[in-house]
Amino acid sequence: MNSENVVKNLRALWRTDRIIADIRMRHMLVGLGLRAFAALIAGFGLLMLELSAYFALVQIWSAISAAAILGVVNFVIAAVLFVITGRPPAGRELELANEIHGSAVDALQIEARAMQSQFTGMVHHPLNSALPLILVPLITIIVKSLKKSKAAAASAAPAAAETN
């Protein structure tokens, strides 16, 4: 388990989530603006249809057909705008951000599995993880004590020879 990899993958995940949210937010705002404009045009279309009904009562032909045609055209424009805003956002930015997001999640899952296997190995066999940490200092202590005992024995031998 490498904590640098975990941090790097978490940063990548955070950045791609922000990019994806930004792209989707821009798409939603544009769609909302176009839907509001389409609703306004639909309102004008309804107004024109009402105006054409009024002209139908007042006059018989010319003003009625013009207002009805304008109303129908406004409804068609509003319907086209609603269809355009209903499309999902498509673009290389979103595809790239989704791909990086997926790879960061995969890398984090791999790191989590490695951490889990290390933890379960330590729980099931605690000496396997603790033995290298204890063994190296223990060996150095033994080597130092052997060197000291050899040095003490070597210095004791000439002193014993002098007293005889």
Side-chain angles (χ1 to χ4, degrees), residues 97-114:
N98 281 330
E99 184 177 320
I100 293 172
H101 182 269
S103 66
V105 167
D106 290 341
L108 282 174
Q109 287 176 346
I110 290 169
E111 289 291 330
R113 285 186 192 119

Side-chain angles (χ1 to χ4, degrees), residues 9 31 88 102 110 116 134 146-147 151:
N9 289 325
I110 290 169
Q116 180 185 10
I134 296 171
L146 288 176
K147 284 182 182 178

Side-chain angles (χ1 to χ4, degrees), residues 31-102:
L32 181 63
L34 287 176
R35 284 188 176 118
F37 186 62
L40 182 66
I41 290 175
F44 286 134
L46 182 62
L47 182 63
M48 287 293 125
L49 287 176
E50 289 176 4
L51 188 61
S52 69
Y54 172 76
F55 284 142
L57 294 174
V58 174
Q59 293 179 352
I60 298 297
W61 283 109
S62 66
I64 299 168
S65 60
I69 289 172
L70 283 175
V72 169
V73 167
N74 285 335
F75 276 125
V76 168
I77 290 171
V80 167
L81 287 175
F82 273 120
V83 167
I84 288 173
T85 59
R87 291 184 304 152
R92 290 184 290 164
E93 294 174 337
L94 185 60
E95 290 175 15
L96 178 63
N98 281 330
E99 184 177 320
I100 293 172
H101 182 269

